[in-house]
Amino acid sequence: EEIRDFMQQMSKRETQASVTLEVIGYSWEGREILCLRIEGSENVPSKVEKTRGMLLLGGVHAREWLTTVTVLQVAVRLIEAYGKVQWVTEALDKASVHIIPLVNPDGYVYT
């Protein structure tokens, strides 16, 4: 619940980057699997079609808490750096980053 709230806050945050929260599936026990998509601003024309991307996964196994926090911190840093740090801005204008902090929400709840 806290992770979902945090991801919603990031997707509604005032930022130059395009940040979208999506439900990409459900766990065996019916919990949502969420993905945070971070891209460059829609106002920036890209010479390269955005077919490139990066996928960061966390919480794949039960009792694996650190990876969840780590990928969420990467998301925060990318969102904050877009428009301020040149290499981040250029990278996000050419590709999208998909962050799934809890691939296994059932295992997370179990522990």
Side-chain angles (χ1 to χ4, degrees), residues 89-104:
T89 304
E90 290 173 358
L92 289 176
D93 284 344
K94 294 178 182 173
S96 57
V97 177
H98 301 267
I99 297 180
I100 306 170
L102 271 179
V103 175
N104 179 10

Side-chain angles (χ1 to χ4, degrees), residues 1-110:
E1 191 70 31
E2 292 173 2
I3 294 169
R4 178 182 178 70
D5 292 344
F6 185 75
M7 292 176 75
Q8 283 179 331
Q9 287 174 4
M10 283 197 297
S11 69
K12 294 176 182 176
R13 202 171 171 172
E14 184 91 18
T15 179
Q16 294 180 30
S18 173
V19 183
T20 309
L21 181 62
E22 303 170 338
V23 176
I24 60 166
Y26 295 89
S27 69
W28 180 259
E29 295 180 2
R31 292 180 180 89
E32 292 179 337
I33 299 173
L34 301 172
C35 177
L36 199 62
R37 186 177 69 220
I38 306 168
E39 299 177 296
S41 172
E42 295 175 18
N43 298 329
V44 177
S46 177
K47 294 179 182 175
V48 179
E49 187 178 335
K50 287 191 179 180
T51 56
R52 298 179 186 159
M54 178 187 293
L55 176 64
L56 299 175
L57 303 174
V60 176
H61 306 100
R63 296 179 301 279
E64 187 179 274
W65 310 294
L66 189 58
T67 59
T68 301
V69 175
T70 302
V71 297
L72 287 173
Q73 276 301 308
V74 170
V76 169
R77 303 293 170 127
L78 289 173
I79 293 167
E80 290 176 350
Y82 184 81
K84 298 174 186 163
V85 179
Q86 184 177 355
W87 72 266
V88 173
T89 304
E90 290 173 358
L92 289 176
D93 284 344
K94 294 178 182 173
S96 57
V97 177
H98 301 267
I99 297 180
I100 306 170
L102 271 179
V103 175
N104 179 10
D106 298 339
Y108 187 83
V109 170
Y110 176 76

